Amino acid sequence: MLLLTRLLPSFFVAWLLSFSLASLFHSLYVVNQLVNVGILVTFNDRVHLIIADWQGLLLTYGAIIAVAYALAFWLANRINHNVNQQKELIYLLAGLGAIAIVLIASESIMHVHIIAGARGWGFYAQLLSGAVGGLLFARISAVLAVKNNHEINC
């Protein structure tokens, strides 16, 4: 029951926000690079690019983030059982680490950036999206844990 009432909803919301931020940061990085070489990118083009990137990256980068988060949050849970303090920091670092490992591993193994927006400052923006997802997972799961404990005790 814990999986259905606390972990899956927390995981889904954290993943969705993290992926959406990562996709947005990717799109903004690409637009910035186009503008830097003198290409005019209108507001409508930017909005269309952001939407198209979100849809296009969902089944690839989105799935990769989901798997990386599942592994990272499982490890964070194991660490949290031993430490039992700083839960938010542990999950924040787990989310950040998951994205960092995905991006660094793809560059090291395949010699390609998994997404164009993970170069330069875009790399740090991707890490921020991972950290936000990890923090959100910790906070939502904590709120749902309190809610579930209250419902059980009533």
Side-chain angles (χ1 to χ4, degrees):
M1 197 65 170
L2 169 72
L3 179 68
L4 293 176
T5 60
R6 191 171 102 202
L7 296 179
L8 283 181
S10 302
F11 182 86
F12 179 74
V13 171
W15 166 81
L16 184 61
L17 177 64
S18 181
F19 166 71
S20 296
L21 284 174
S23 178
L24 174 66
F25 293 153
H26 159 75
S27 299
L28 294 176
Y29 181 85
V30 170
V31 166
N32 183 58
Q33 296 305 306
L34 291 172
V35 170
N36 285 345
V37 295
I39 297 173
L40 176 64
V41 183
T42 66
F43 179 77
N44 286 340
D45 290 337
R46 291 170 197 241
V47 171
H48 177 73
L49 178 67
I50 289 168
I51 293 168
D53 280 347
W54 192 91
Q55 292 171 335
L57 292 172
L58 181 62
L59 295 179
T60 53
Y61 194 44
I64 291 168
I65 291 173
V67 170
Y69 264 14
L71 295 171
F73 292 167
W74 175 83
L75 180 61
N77 186 46
R78 296 288 129 231
I79 292 169
N80 193 47
H81 280 303
N82 294 332
V83 176
N84 206 18
Q85 291 179 340
Q86 304 296 329
K87 180 179 180 180
E88 289 184 352
L89 178 62
I90 291 170
Y91 280 101
L92 181 146
L93 292 174
L96 185 147
I99 300 297
I101 289 170
V102 164
L103 296 175
I104 292 169
S106 70
E107 171 65 23
S108 299
I109 295 168
M110 298 181 289
H111 304 290
V112 295
H113 291 280
I114 196 165
I115 59 170
R119 300 179 197 143
W121 62 263
F123 176 79
Y124 301 105
Q126 295 298 309
L127 296 183
L128 176 63
S129 73
V132 168
L135 180 61
L136 188 61
F137 178 82
R139 289 192 175 170
I140 292 174
S141 62
V143 168
L144 292 178
V146 170
K147 181 182 177 218
N148 290 339
N149 287 339
H150 176 72
E151 289 175 357
I152 290 171
N153 292 332
C154 289

